[in-house]
Amino acid sequence: DVSRRTPDLRLVVVGAPKKNGGIVKLIRQLGIGDRIRFTGRISDTAFVREYARAGMAVVPSVYEGFGLPAGEAMACAVPVISTTGGALPEVVGDAGTLVPPADPRALGRAIQEMIDNPAHARNLGQKGFQRVQEHFTWRSAASKTVEVYREVIDGHR
């Protein structure tokens, strides 16, 4: 149980749970309401502020089409723990921790590992930032597009 070993651990969830839904009931049942904050809908500026405060970003998706939450966290140099669902491994690469989807034990171990090893977490945050700069900027996209056009033109000649 991560929360017993790290009494100052807090979870910030960008968004809101369903009113009186299963998540709210579980939080109440576990008595952890004082450790969790739901932001509701927030502006882009507030989103960046939340990333700036974060010790890590956890993206436990079972399937993710592109992995924008992971990419956003990496762009803010926040270490990422993600699943191998969908395109997340392509976004995260070796710049984060990947666990199998729908495996809460593996996710818990990865979170505890990140908490126990702050130097490793900082290193992953920096690797993530570098990965975004190398692969996921408009400049990078334009450069790759030019490469494809050159290949097509050279192949046509």
Side-chain angles (χ1 to χ4, degrees):
D1 178 28
V2 172
S3 66
R4 289 188 209 316
R5 290 186 274 173
T6 54
D8 60 340
L9 185 66
R10 301 277 183 263
L11 173 65
V12 176
V13 180
V14 175
K18 276 192 214 169
K19 194 168 189 153
N20 297 318
I23 291 173
V24 173
K25 289 175 185 169
L26 183 59
I27 290 169
R28 198 174 306 126
Q29 178 185 353
L30 294 172
I32 57 174
D34 61 328
R35 294 175 170 269
I36 301 174
R37 179 172 61 92
F38 290 92
T39 66
R41 293 187 77 97
I42 59 176
S43 68
D44 291 342
T45 303
F47 213 142
V48 171
R49 254 187 255 121
E50 292 298 339
Y51 277 129
R53 293 180 186 131
M56 72 184 80
V58 180
V59 185
S61 300
V62 174
Y63 180 84
E64 191 77 40
F66 171 72
L68 191 58
E72 289 171 334
M74 292 164 62
C76 294
V78 175
V80 171
I81 298 171
S82 178
T83 66
T84 55
L88 285 165
E90 293 175 53
V91 174
V92 175
D94 67 348
T97 301
L98 295 169
V99 299
D103 187 340
R105 291 194 196 298
L107 189 62
R109 282 191 302 272
I111 292 168
Q112 190 65 57
E113 175 79 17
M114 195 80 70
I115 291 167
D116 290 343
N117 296 292
H120 177 64
R122 279 190 303 279
N123 182 46
L124 284 179
Q126 286 305 307
K127 282 178 77 171
F129 179 79
Q130 290 168 352
R131 183 168 174 77
V132 166
Q133 297 306 307
E134 291 170 14
H135 299 286
F136 302 113
T137 63
W138 284 114
R139 180 178 293 278
S140 173
S143 178
K144 289 175 184 175
T145 302
V146 168
E147 286 177 34
V148 169
Y149 283 149
R150 284 188 178 139
E151 286 177 25
V152 171
I153 290 168
D154 289 347
H156 182 67
R157 289 182 183 170

